[in-house]
Amino acid sequence: MYIQERILKKKKNMEHNKLHQEILLKKEKISEISNELKNHFIGLDLIIDEVMNLVSAWYLFPQAQLRPLVINLWGMTGSGKTALVKKLVELLEYKKLYAQMDMGEFESDSASWFKSTLTDDLEFFHEQPCMICLDEFQFARTIDKNGEELGKDKLRVIWDLIDSGRINYIPYNNAFYVKRADVCLINLLKAKEQGVEIENGIVTKNEDTFLEIFKSFYFENQNRNETLDKNYFLSSDFIDGLFYLTNNDDIIRESLKQEILKADLKGITDLLVRGIKTRSALKELDLSKAIIFVLGNLDEAYGMSHSINPDISADELHEDTLKINITNIKSALKKRFRSEQIARLGNNHIIYRAFKNEHFKELIKRELQRINVFIKTQFNFEISYHASVHDLVYKEGVFPAQGTRPILTTIKNYVETWVSKIAIEVIGKNLKVTNVEWSYHDDKYVFVFKDEQNCVLNIYEEKVLLKIVTLRRTVDKDLQAHTAVHESGHAVLAVMTLKILPSLIVSKSASDGCDGFCMVNSPDGLLTRDILKKEIIISLGGYVAERMIFGEENTSSGVCSDIENATNLANKAIKYYAMGSDPISIAVSSPNNNEYFFMGEKHKQEALHLINECEEEAKEILENNKLLLLKLSEYLTANHKIEEAGIADFVMKYATASWIKEEGFKKKENYFSFESMLKKQITNLKV
């Protein structure tokens, strides 16, 4: 007995040691995968850390999981959500236990396949640690834009999957063959009532009635080649159908045929009933050990995702997306899903940020390197890309709000398609090339072919037809000068009131319907009375600058949106923010509203006075900094944009305010000093 106990204990210890070794190996693999993902994807290090932290516990101890692990990935299009999941599946070697569902299919009536895909098609996932990706999840909405529920009953299975991972269903084969058997039984009942008789599996009486009743019936094969006749129950269609209906591994077709050969109408009926009884009506698919990735684009949280302007700053867009938090995500989800459904999604919400300029540049660099490897392998020479090629791809391909996809297609059009021309030039002229220097200038690609001694063998040039870069070029100098003055007016007022540099001024945009714009960096946080007034002054900048430089008669229609914005801000200041004489909330007169003070002539005059006051301040600031306004406008007439560093140079050189050199510029995130004001007053009181 003692020996047996020692043997059992030793065996148990060996099992524990083996388990511990497996866990350590898995942990090491997770670390390796994390590093490989970071090397593969650009700008996603923090995202990968979050994902791998959640995946680790599932990967190490899947059997300890009682319900699916749900990981939500939210971001703008082209940010790498789907690609990250697919790469993770590949590195974990889970392709056989991975399924991806496009929830966009639920926009159509063809989505009825979803439950059968999750059940019959994924039946081998039962009780297995598997991976499921629900892509484009925003389309699975259950609430419309008006907050009304959508009657998508077929979506219920999704929420069962996400919540418990357990799905009750009728297997497809069960449902199909049971339904066909039911139809056959109904037909047999009709046949019996109308005097049809069967002996030894063959219709012997009232054959025409039988043929009429069964003329459109099929059991197994809808497109059967056999002609319906009195021998139908001995046909392959009926025998195959009865075989698949009968859920018994010991049953073979020949034994069924022998039973049919002895059967009358009641015997045929009994065979069908017996087959139906072998089918369980309901099964449960257990996916509680699954990891479920929920992927989506939430426009409600990523308001900037609608922009298709290639001239907006990628860095500025990145900064905007940094402000998005889990509360914003849940608020956005509330516009598409019920509260209890949002709760089922849990709190593992991983938020993608927009790519920065450096990320796009790194992507371009990697893609050009990839093409170079291909060329070296295929043609045994290398390409040296001049910085002008990198710059061209960036200018043509980067649409910051659309992620990486536009860049990849641009590289295909402006780099990959030219590889064949380079190869033909080398092969056609039998050049002993080791390196091709590729540059771009004057609307042309220039290829310099060099040999091993760095001697020039040939120079090949060809014009490049551009799309985006061409749109940025000045077509009408007068029009661009007018736009330059307008946008410079906004910029100068932004700097001189907020003491914060704009991130970008554009005087000729590639975006449709946009001549130019100025990206003002308004302070983060509160909208104070001081900030609101400065916002009005900045809004009036384009109008005041146009009038100052070109005269009243040459102000453009472009000022209308600025004037509208200034008017809205002034009205809000008086009506809602107590910036007038009365600290009250004021409403437009309405006989159905008794909760507010109604706006009268007095308050209208106060709003008008505020606008006039802001206009006078705008005029004074621009007059005092007219040289800055003119110099900035001159630059933007010759160039389509200027970024923050360039704006700083102009301000330092031409602005008149002493604070610029004494205090320097502020940052929008450090604009306020409320904490220091609070501490100062406490200190004063203590004294």
Side-chain angles (χ1 to χ4, degrees):
M1 188 72 178
Y2 175 71
I3 295 173
Q4 287 181 333
E5 286 179 358
R6 287 189 63 187
I7 292 172
L8 288 172
K9 187 175 181 180
K10 187 176 180 181
K11 185 178 179 182
K12 196 170 185 179
N13 287 336
M14 288 176 64
E15 289 174 353
H16 283 166
N17 289 335
K18 183 181 178 182
L19 179 61
H20 293 165
Q21 287 299 317
E22 288 176 356
I23 290 172
L24 290 174
L25 288 172
K26 280 187 171 184
K27 187 177 180 181
E28 186 178 342
K29 184 173 182 178
I30 284 288
S31 181
E32 290 172 357
I33 289 172
S34 181
N35 291 331
E36 191 163 346
L37 289 172
K38 288 178 181 179
N39 290 331
H40 184 80
F41 292 100
I42 297 167
L44 297 184
D45 284 11
L46 294 178
I47 297 290
I48 291 166
D49 284 340
E50 284 191 79
V51 170
M52 295 310 295
N53 184 50
L54 293 168
V55 168
S56 294
W58 168 83
Y59 185 63
L60 295 174
F61 310 105
Q63 299 308 322
Q65 187 167 286
L66 300 179
R67 60 179 61 244
L69 168 62
V70 180
I71 302 177
N72 305 279
L73 303 181
W74 308 110
M76 296 189 292
T77 183
S79 55
K81 301 181 296 295
T82 308
L84 176 60
V85 173
K86 286 184 175 179
K87 189 65 177 177
L88 177 60
V89 170
E90 176 191 324
L91 295 175
L92 284 173
E93 299 176 341
Y94 258 76
K95 286 186 177 180
K96 291 183 179 179
L97 286 169
Y98 172 67
Q100 181 176 335
M101 316 287 179
D102 184 352
M103 307 311 293
E105 294 290 338
F106 286 104
E107 288 288 280
S108 67
D109 292 332
S110 63
S112 55
W113 52 263
F114 187 78
K115 187 166 185 176
S116 64
T117 300
L118 275 175
T119 51
D120 290 281
D121 292 355
L122 301 184
E123 193 171 5
F124 64 97
F125 281 20
H126 182 65
E127 295 183 343
Q128 295 275 4
C130 54
M131 303 177 78
I132 297 171
C133 177
L134 304 179
D135 207 353
E136 301 292 350
F137 197 76
Q138 70 274 11
F139 292 122
R141 68 187 309 157
T142 54
I143 293 176
D144 65 19
K145 293 177 181 179
N146 298 318
E148 300 294 327
E149 287 200 25
L150 297 169
K152 293 187 177 180
D153 291 341
K154 54 182 173 284
L155 293 180
R156 290 178 183 173
V157 66
I158 298 172
W159 302 105
D160 290 338
L161 169 66
I162 290 171
D163 187 31
S164 66
R166 299 177 186 275
I167 303 169
N168 293 318
Y169 71 106
I170 298 175
Y172 174 77
N173 284 345
N174 285 10
F176 177 81
Y177 290 109
V178 168
K179 285 179 181 178
R180 300 314 303 154
D182 282 342
V183 174
C184 190
L185 287 171
I186 291 170
N187 288 346
L188 284 171
L189 180 61
K190 289 180 182 177
K192 180 181 178 182
E193 290 173 348
Q194 297 185 36
V196 173
E197 293 181 6
I198 298 173
E199 292 181 15
N200 301 323
I202 300 171
V203 176
T204 56
K205 187 176 180 182
N206 291 335
E207 182 181 340
D208 291 341
T209 302
F210 167 79
L211 295 177
E212 180 63 27
I213 293 171
F214 276 82
K215 66 180 179 181
S216 60
F217 176 76
Y218 66 93
F219 203 143
E220 163 63 15
N221 185 7
Q222 185 175 6
N223 301 310
R224 63 175 184 266
N225 296 320
E226 300 163 321
T227 303
L228 179 66
D229 59 21
K230 62 182 181 179
N231 298 305
Y232 170 70
F233 296 109
L234 293 170
S235 69
S236 62
D237 178 68
F238 184 78
I239 293 174
D240 284 348
L242 191 58
F243 172 76
Y244 289 118
L245 170 68
T246 306
N247 190 17
N248 186 338
D249 294 338
D250 296 329
I251 293 291
I252 59 174
R253 287 179 176 82
E254 185 58 34
S255 65
L256 289 173
K257 184 175 181 180
Q258 292 304 316
E259 289 190 69
I260 293 169
L261 283 170
K262 301 174 184 176
D264 56 10
L265 192 147
K266 183 179 181 302
I268 299 290
T269 300
D270 290 343
L271 284 173
L272 288 167
V273 172
R274 186 183 71 186
I276 290 172
K277 287 181 178 178
T278 65
R279 290 282 173 182
S280 59
L282 201 65
K283 290 184 74 174
E284 181 183 75
L285 178 62
D286 183 359
L287 299 175
S288 61
K289 309 302 180 191
I291 182 170
I292 300 173
F293 289 96
V294 174
L295 279 53
N297 307 327
L298 289 177
D299 292 343
E300 293 87 350
Y302 292 83
M304 67 294 290
S305 64
H306 293 292
S307 175
I308 57 171
N309 191 338
D311 292 311
I312 63 174
S313 167
D315 287 343
E316 187 73 17
L317 188 63
H318 174 79
E319 289 295 320
D320 283 345
T321 57
L322 286 177
K323 299 173 187 175
I324 301 171
N325 55 43
I326 188 171
T327 304
N328 302 133
I329 293 297
K330 290 204 173 191
S331 294
L333 288 170
K334 198 169 182 180
K335 295 177 181 178
R336 292 175 179 267
F337 304 102
R338 298 194 302 273
S339 294
E340 60 94 11
Q341 292 171 333
I342 298 169
R344 292 189 186 194
L345 291 174
N347 277 349
N348 295 328
H349 295 282
I350 298 176
I351 304 167
Y352 274 66
R353 314 303 177 181
F355 290 117
K356 295 191 283 189
N357 286 337
E358 64 184 72
H359 297 147
F360 286 118
K361 290 176 181 177
E362 178 62 24
L363 175 62
I364 293 168
K365 179 182 175 182
R366 286 193 188 185
E367 285 298 301
L368 295 186
Q369 287 173 343
R370 177 186 60 79
I371 295 168
N372 208 7
V373 170
F374 169 79
I375 292 169
K376 178 68 176 175
T377 304
Q378 295 294 318
F379 305 109
N380 199 32
F381 64 84
E382 293 183 345
I383 290 179
S384 299
Y385 301 100
H386 190 266
S388 57
V389 177
H390 288 255
D391 189 49
L392 175 68
V393 173
Y394 188 97
K395 289 177 177 177
E396 280 288 310
V398 174
F399 284 72
Q402 295 188 315
T404 60
R405 293 190 184 104
I407 282 220
L408 299 177
T409 56
T410 298
I411 289 172
K412 193 169 192 66
N413 293 337
Y414 289 97
V415 180
E416 290 183 16
T417 55
W418 289 81
V419 170
S420 59
K421 295 185 180 185
I422 297 172
I424 289 170
E425 188 73 10
V426 171
I427 296 168
K429 294 183 178 179
N430 195 27
L431 301 173
K432 304 300 181 183
V433 173
T434 58
N435 184 265
V436 177
E437 294 179 355
W438 186 342
S439 61
Y440 166 80
H441 54 81
D442 297 331
D443 293 341
K444 290 184 296 185
Y445 273 151
V446 179
F447 304 98
V448 180
F449 299 84
K450 294 185 176 182
D451 63 13
E452 197 170 358
Q453 285 73 42
N454 205 35
C455 296
V456 176
L457 302 176
N458 186 35
I459 297 177
Y460 171 65
E461 298 182 359
E462 189 169 339
K463 187 176 179 63
V464 186
L465 297 175
L466 304 176
K467 298 175 183 177
I468 307 302
V469 171
T470 304
L471 293 174
R472 295 189 179 105
R473 288 178 179 162
T474 302
V475 178
D476 187 330
K477 281 286 186 184
D478 287 329
L479 178 60
Q480 187 161 338
H482 200 286
T483 303
V485 168
H486 181 104
E487 302 304 339
S488 295
H490 290 306
V492 172
L493 290 175
V495 174
M496 304 313 294
T497 57
L498 297 171
K499 299 183 180 181
I500 302 174
L501 289 164
S503 57
L504 178 68
I505 313 172
V506 174
S507 59
K508 184 66 174 73
S509 174
S511 180
D512 182 38
C514 176
D515 294 324
F517 58 89
C518 175
M519 294 189 71
V520 175
N521 285 318
S522 297
D524 289 341
L526 299 174
L527 178 61
T528 63
R529 293 176 64 160
D530 174 66
I531 298 299
L532 193 146
K533 185 176 180 180
K534 288 173 180 176
E535 293 279 2
I536 296 173
I537 293 171
I538 296 167
S539 293
L540 294 169
Y543 166 65
V544 174
E546 285 186 26
R547 194 174 59 180
M548 179 184 295
I549 304 303
F550 302 121
E552 186 80 46
E553 67 279 6
N554 289 316
T555 55
S556 69
S557 60
V559 304
C560 66
S561 60
D562 294 335
I563 297 297
E564 183 180 348
N565 185 50
T567 303
N568 287 336
L569 288 171
N571 276 322
K572 284 181 179 179
I574 303 303
K575 292 165 62 178
Y576 305 125
Y577 300 134
M579 289 177 64
S581 57
D582 300 316
I584 56 175
S585 186
I586 304 164
V588 175
S589 296
S590 169
N592 298 321
N593 192 329
N594 295 317
E595 296 179 3
Y596 299 95
F597 292 93
F598 296 137
M599 191 165 189
E601 189 62 30
K602 169 189 171 184
H603 302 110
K604 291 179 184 178
Q605 290 302 318
E606 288 181 347
L608 181 59
H609 175 74
L610 178 58
I611 290 177
N612 289 334
E613 184 182 313
C614 291
E615 183 186 359
E616 288 302 314
E617 285 194 43
K619 284 163 60 178
E620 183 180 351
I621 293 169
L622 290 181
E623 285 287 359
N624 291 337
N625 294 276
K626 191 169 184 178
L627 184 58
L628 171 60
L629 174 66
L630 291 171
K631 284 292 186 178
L632 203 50
S633 301
E634 180 185 40
Y635 179 87
L636 285 166
T637 301
N639 302 274
H640 86 280
K641 72 174 183 177
I642 184 170
E643 296 181 347
E644 187 173 324
I647 299 169
D649 290 340
F650 274 91
V651 175
M652 294 291 289
K653 192 172 182 180
Y654 299 111
T656 58
S658 59
W659 63 261
I660 295 171
K661 293 181 180 178
E662 294 171 0
E663 303 171 23
F665 303 111
K666 292 184 178 182
K667 293 291 184 182
K668 63 179 183 178
E669 58 270 19
N670 300 320
Y671 184 83
F672 298 109
S673 55
F674 297 132
E675 184 182 12
S676 62
M677 290 168 65
L678 179 64
K679 288 181 177 179
K680 185 178 179 181
Q681 291 194 41
I682 291 172
T683 302
N684 291 339
L685 286 173
K686 284 181 179 179
V687 173

